[in-house]
C-alpha cells in the first residue's frame, strides 16, 4: 500500500502541475481576449467619433470636443470617454503614466483606478494637424469586471475538474495499485522473508504477466536452486563429517597401537604375580590363611589388569560425539594413568600437576582425551633419554587470538610442556596442516595435530604453541569453561 500511496501522490502532483499550467495559460488567454475585445470596441468608438473630432479641431472648437466625449460616454454604459493630450502635464493628461502609451498606435493598458478597481484603458491616437507637434487621442476606459469574472469562473472550473479527476484517479490507482501491485508485492516480500529464514518450500503465487510476475517466477526458480544446493551441501557436510570422524578414529587406533607395547609391559607384572600365586595354591603347600591371601592377591591383580584393558578399550572405541560437563582434571589424570606405562618404557618421565578443585568444561570426553594423548605422545617422541613431560591445568581469563578486542572470558588452560628438541620457526607455521610431519616414514600419519586442532576448535577453543629450537615446546589447550548459570543445571 505504501507504493500505491506514493504512486497516487506522484500522480496528484503531476496532475496539479498540469492543471496549474493550464489554468495559468487560460487566465493569460482570457486577459488577452479581454484586452483584444476592449481594444476592438474602443477602436470602433474612436472610428465613429474621429470625423467629428477632426472637424472640431479644424474649426478650433475645443469645447465641442469635450462635449462630444461626454455625450458619447452617456450613450455607452460603464464606459468613460475622454479627450487627452499625451504630452500635457495637467488638464487633459492620460489616466495612466505617459511612458506606457505608444502615441502612434492603439495602446491598451490594464491598471487599477484610485479606488482600486481594475480598468482597461485604450488610447487611440488622433491627428491634430499635419504641421502640429501635439500628440492627442481618445481615452476609452471601462471596468475589467467581465474578464475577472471569466477568470474566476475558469479557476473554479479548473479546481472542480482537478478535484474530480484527482479523486477518481486516486481511487482507481489505490484499488488497482493494491490489487495489481500491493498484494503481489506483499507476497514477494513475505517469500523473501521466508527465504531469509531458510524456508524454500512454498512457491510464491503471483499470477500476472508483468514485471512482478516475472520477479515471482525468478524467486521461485532461485528457491528451487537454493533448496537443491542446500540438500547437496547437507549431503556433502554429512559425508565430510563421517570422513573426519573416520580419520579421527583411525588416528585413535594408531595411538592405541603405540600404547599397546606399554600396556603389555604394564599387564606383564600383574600376570606374573597371578601365575606365581596360582602355582603356590596348586602345590597344596600353603595353609588355609595363606591360600586365602594368595587368592585375594590374584583378585587384586586381575582387577588391575581389567582396569588397564578397559581404559585402552574405552580410548580406542568409536562412539558418537556427546558433549557434557566434564571435570578436566579427572580426564587428564585418567589419560596420564593410561600413558605412563608407555612413557616409562621410553624412559620418559610424565608429571601431572593438577589442581584439587574441579575444572568443568562442556566437552566430549573421548575427543579431548584423544587430543591430550596425541600431544603427550608427540612431546615424548621429541625428547631423548631421561626426557620429561609436564602437564598442568588451570583456570585463566583469556580472549581468542582472532578476537583480541573482545572481553576476556574464563577458559581452562591445559599445558603440555617438554624438554625436547623443539620446533623450528619454519615448521611451526605448518604443524597443524593435514599430513604434515617431521617424523620418519612409518612413524606417523601427519594427522594427529591437525585432528587435535580441529577438535579443540569445534569445542570453541584453540591451541597455542610456543617452541624454540633446542629448548623444548609448550602446547597450551584453551577450552571454554562451563558458565555459572549452566552449573546449576549440571
Amino acid at each position: 500500500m505504501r507504493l500505491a500511496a506514493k504512486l497516487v501522490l506522484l500522480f496528484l502532483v503531476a496532475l496539479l502541475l498540469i492543471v496549474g499550467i493550464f489554468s495559468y495559460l487560460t487566465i493569460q488567454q482570457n486577459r488577452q481576449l479581454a484586452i483584444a475585445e476592449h481594444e476592438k470596441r474602443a477602436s470602433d468608438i474612436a472610428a465613429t467619433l474621429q470625423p467629428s473630432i477632426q472637424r472640431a479641431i479644424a474649426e478650433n472648437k475645443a469645447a465641442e470636443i469635450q462635449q462630444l466625449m461626454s455625450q458619447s460616454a452617456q450613450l455607452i454604459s460603464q464606459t468613460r470617454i475622454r479627450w487627452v493630450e499625451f504630452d500635457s502635464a495637467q488638464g487633459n493628461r492620460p489616466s495612466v503614466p505617459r511612458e506606457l502609451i505608444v502615441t502612434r498606435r492603439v495602446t491598451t493598458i490594464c491598471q487599477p483606478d484610485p479606488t482600486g478597481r481594475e480598468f482597461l484603458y485604450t488610447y487611440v491616437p488622433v491627428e491634430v494637424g499635419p504641421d502640429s507637434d501635439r500628440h492627442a487621442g481618445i481615452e476609452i476606459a471601462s471596468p475589467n469586471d467581465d474578464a475577472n469574472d471569466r477568470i474566476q469562473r475558469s479557476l473554479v472550473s479548473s479546481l472542480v475538474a482537478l478535484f474530480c479527476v484527482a479523486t477518481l484517479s486516486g481511487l482507481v490507482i489505490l484499488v488497482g495499485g493494491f490489487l495489481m501491485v500491493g498484494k503481489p508485492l506483499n507476497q514477494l516480500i513475505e517469500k523473501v522473508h521466508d527465504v531469509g529464514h531458510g524456508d524454500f518450500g512454498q512457491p510464491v503465487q503471483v499470477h500476472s504477466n508483468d514485471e512482478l510476475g516475472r520477479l515471482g517466477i525468478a524467486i521461485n526458480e532461485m528457491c528451487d536452486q537454493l533448496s537443491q544446493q542446500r540438500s547437496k551441501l547437507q549431503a556433502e557436510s554429512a559425508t565430510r563429517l563421517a570422513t573426519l570422524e573416520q580419520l579421527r578414529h583411525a588416528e585413535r587406533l594408531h595411538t592405541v597401537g603405540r600404547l599397546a607395547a606399554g600396556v603389555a609391559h604394564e599387564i606383564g607384572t600383574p600376570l606374573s604375580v597371578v601365575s606365581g600365586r596360582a602355582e603356590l595354591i596348586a602345590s597344596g603347600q600353603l595353609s588355609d590363611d595363606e591360600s586365602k591371601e594368595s587368592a585375594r592377591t590374584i583378585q587384586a591383580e586381575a582387577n588391575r589388569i581389567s582396569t588397564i584393558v578397559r581404559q585402552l578399550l574405552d580410548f580406542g572405541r568409536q562412539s558418537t560425539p556427546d558433549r557434557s560437563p566434564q571435570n578436566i582434571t579427572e580426564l587428564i589424570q585418567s589419560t596420564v594413568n593410561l600413558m605412563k606405562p608407555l612413557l616409562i618404557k621410553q624412559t620418559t618421565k610424565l608429571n601431572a600437576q593438577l589442581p584439587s578443585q574441579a575444572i568443568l568444561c562442556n566437552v566430549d570426553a573421548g575427543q579431548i582425551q584423544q587430543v591430550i594423548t596425541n600431544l603427550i605422545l608427540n612431546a615424548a617422541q621429541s625428547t631423548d633419554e631421561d626426557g620429561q613431560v609436564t602437564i598442568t591445568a588451570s583456570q585463566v581469563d583469556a580472549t581468542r587470538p582472532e578476537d583480541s578486542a573482545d572481553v576476556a572470558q574464563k577458559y581452562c588452560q591445559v599445558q603440555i610442556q617438554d624438554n625436547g628438541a623443539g620446533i623450528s620457526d619454519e615448521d611451526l607455521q605448518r604443524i597443524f596442516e593435514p599430513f604434515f610431519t617431521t617424523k620418519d616414514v612409518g612413524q606417523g600419519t601427519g594427522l594427529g595435530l591437525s585432528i587435535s586442532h580441529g577438535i579443540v576448535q569445534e569445542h570453541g577453543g584453540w591451541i597455542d604453541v610456543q617452541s624454540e629450537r633446542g629448548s623444548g615446546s609448550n602446547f597450551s589447550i584453551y577450552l571454554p569453561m562451563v558458565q555459572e548459570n549452566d552449573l546449576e543445571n549440571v
Side-chain angles (χ1 to χ4, degrees), residues 18 21 34 71 105 118 133 158 195 201 255 276 323 328 344 358 385 403 420 427 430 441 484 487:
I18 293 173
I21 294 174
Q71 291 175 353
R105 63 179 177 84
E118 192 176 76
D133 57 354
S158 298
V195 171
T255 304
R323 296 183 187 179
I328 298 298
I344 290 175
E385 291 186 4
D403 300 327
D427 293 339
R430 303 181 58 193
V441 177
E484 292 183 0
L487 287 175

Side-chain angles (χ1 to χ4, degrees), residues 363-384:
V363 298
D364 180 273
Q367 290 184 342
I368 298 302
Q369 190 178 33
Q370 181 180 0
V371 172
I372 297 173
T373 302
N374 283 335
L375 295 181
I376 292 176
L377 285 174
N378 287 343
Q381 286 184 343
S382 69
T383 62
D384 297 328

Side-chain angles (χ1 to χ4, degrees), residues 38-39 42-43 46 82-86 92-98 100-111 120-126 136-141:
H38 185 271
E39 193 170 288
S43 296
R82 293 175 59 227
W83 173 258
V84 296
E85 294 184 7
F86 300 139
N92 294 334
R93 65 180 182 179
S95 300
V96 301
R98 169 67 180 79
L100 298 179
I101 302 173
V102 180
T103 58
R104 297 189 178 277
R105 63 179 177 84
V106 178
T107 304
T108 301
I109 300 168
C110 182
Q111 181 173 299
L120 289 174
Y121 297 91
T122 298
Y123 294 92
V124 182
V126 177
I138 304 173
E139 178 188 90
I140 302 173

Side-chain angles (χ1 to χ4, degrees), residues 133-172:
D133 57 354
R134 293 170 57 197
H135 296 88
I138 304 173
E139 178 188 90
I140 302 173
S142 61
N144 197 25
D145 296 338
D146 291 342
N148 290 335
D149 292 341
R150 189 183 305 168
I151 291 173
Q152 186 175 4
R153 288 194 300 272
S154 176
L155 285 175
V156 171
S157 299
S158 298
L159 291 176
V160 171
L162 174 63
F163 176 78
C164 294
V165 173
T167 302
L168 182 60
S169 301
L171 290 175
V172 171

Side-chain angles (χ1 to χ4, degrees), residues 1-13 15-16 161-179:
M1 290 301 292
R2 292 182 181 178
L3 181 61
K6 290 180 180 179
L7 291 175
V8 171
L9 181 61
L10 182 62
F11 176 79
L12 291 179
V13 170
L15 185 62
L16 180 62
L162 174 63
F163 176 78
C164 294
V165 173
T167 302
L168 182 60
S169 301
L171 290 175
V172 171
I173 293 177
L174 279 176
V175 176
F178 174 74
L179 294 177

